[in-house]
Amino acid sequence: MATPASAGLVACPSCDLLFDVGGMRHGEKAVCTRCGDFLTRVRDDCFLKLQSYAISGLVSLMIACAFPFLSFESSGLESIMTLPQTAQQLYDQGRPDLAFLVAGFIIVIPAAVLGLLTVLSTCIIRQRYYPWMVPVTRLVFHVQNWSMVEVFFIGVLVSLVKIAHMATVVIGISFWAYGAFALCFVASVGNLDRLQYWNELERLAGLKRAG
Ligand SMILES: [Zn+2]
């Protein structure tokens, strides 16, 4: 794959100071000289990494939804919970609003982000440009802020420590799969450098216009 051109001016997201980041090479990072805010990091393999992490994340999420997440045993009673049941339980208890939010933040939104990132990165790696990539990319950049994957996983770890005193907790395959999914999600979003991404999209659009 061709090295994405990182040419052009970029404005600091915090203080609007303009920088020319053209000529940056693989592994180099640019930060604002006035406020120290992050500008961009150039990596030649960022789209391949993005695609790999997104696909791995989706596979991990499928495993996480299919197997038991946790099982509790107390006074001879055992209850097994799967990931989709976390939202289902809230729905059954008469809180459809909360159930909708939980399912959205921990499963639907992150899955949609990874699915779209897989499609977008595959198109870029194959050097293809389609006009729908621009609105879809904007949607991904906007929606990724609404994913609570890491927050949910840390919340589960904290509650496990508390529940361990009251019941015997058995951690299921899905728990580890969700942990892998959370790591892949953070890694894929971390490899999504906005400047490098838009530059590459613009370059592909220019190539298509040129015929
Ligand atoms: Zn700045």
Side-chain angles (χ1 to χ4, degrees):
M1 197 190 110
T3 303
S6 61
L9 292 172
V10 59
C12 169
S14 297
C15 71
D16 275 345
L17 190 62
L18 276 179
F19 292 93
D20 183 2
V21 292
M24 279 178 68
R25 291 186 189 166
H26 173 70
E28 288 180 341
K29 177 183 164 187
V31 291
C32 176
T33 50
R34 185 153 68 186
C35 68
D37 206 349
F38 174 79
L39 298 174
T40 185
R41 186 198 298 274
V42 176
R43 275 174 292 204
D44 294 348
D45 56 354
C46 73
F47 297 110
L48 271 175
K49 278 188 176 171
L50 180 64
Q51 186 195 41
S52 319
Y53 285 128
I55 293 172
S56 313
L58 283 174
V59 173
S60 304
L61 184 64
M62 280 177 210
I63 297 170
C65 286
F67 292 94
F69 192 72
L70 292 171
S71 64
F72 307 96
E73 203 184 310
S74 180
S75 319
L77 290 170
E78 192 191 19
S79 72
I80 297 171
M81 197 168 74
T82 64
L83 195 60
Q85 276 174 347
T86 49
Q88 178 74 41
Q89 290 280 339
L90 288 167
Y91 188 84
D92 292 343
Q93 286 167 18
R95 296 305 303 269
D97 46 347
L98 271 182
F100 181 73
L101 289 175
V102 166
F105 288 148
I106 69 167
I107 303 173
V108 181
I109 291 177
V113 167
L114 289 190
L116 292 174
L117 283 179
T118 304
V119 174
L120 290 169
S121 56
T122 305
C123 288
I124 289 181
I125 290 166
R126 298 177 73 185
Q127 300 284 289
R128 299 279 161 79
Y129 173 82
Y130 305 99
W132 54 259
M133 288 168 78
V134 174
V136 169
T137 300
R138 282 206 194 100
L139 179 76
V140 169
F141 280 135
H142 187 71
V143 165
Q144 75 177 60
N145 301 322
W146 288 96
S147 152
M148 307 278 168
V149 175
E150 325 87 284
V151 179
F152 172 73
F153 201 68
I154 291 167
V156 169
L157 289 177
V158 171
S159 40
L160 270 185
V161 174
K162 292 187 172 179
I163 296 168
H165 296 297
M166 296 180 274
T168 310
V169 182
V170 179
I171 292 171
I173 298 170
S174 162
F175 178 88
W176 301 111
Y178 197 82
F181 162 67
L183 286 177
C184 288
F185 185 85
V186 171
S188 61
V189 170
N191 269 285
L192 189 61
D193 186 287
R194 289 183 185 225
L195 181 72
Q196 204 175 338
Y197 185 93
W198 284 119
N199 278 345
E200 182 64 4
L201 214 56
E202 208 171 277
R203 192 182 69 81
L204 290 176
L207 281 180
K208 192 170 184 179
R209 272 197 300 272

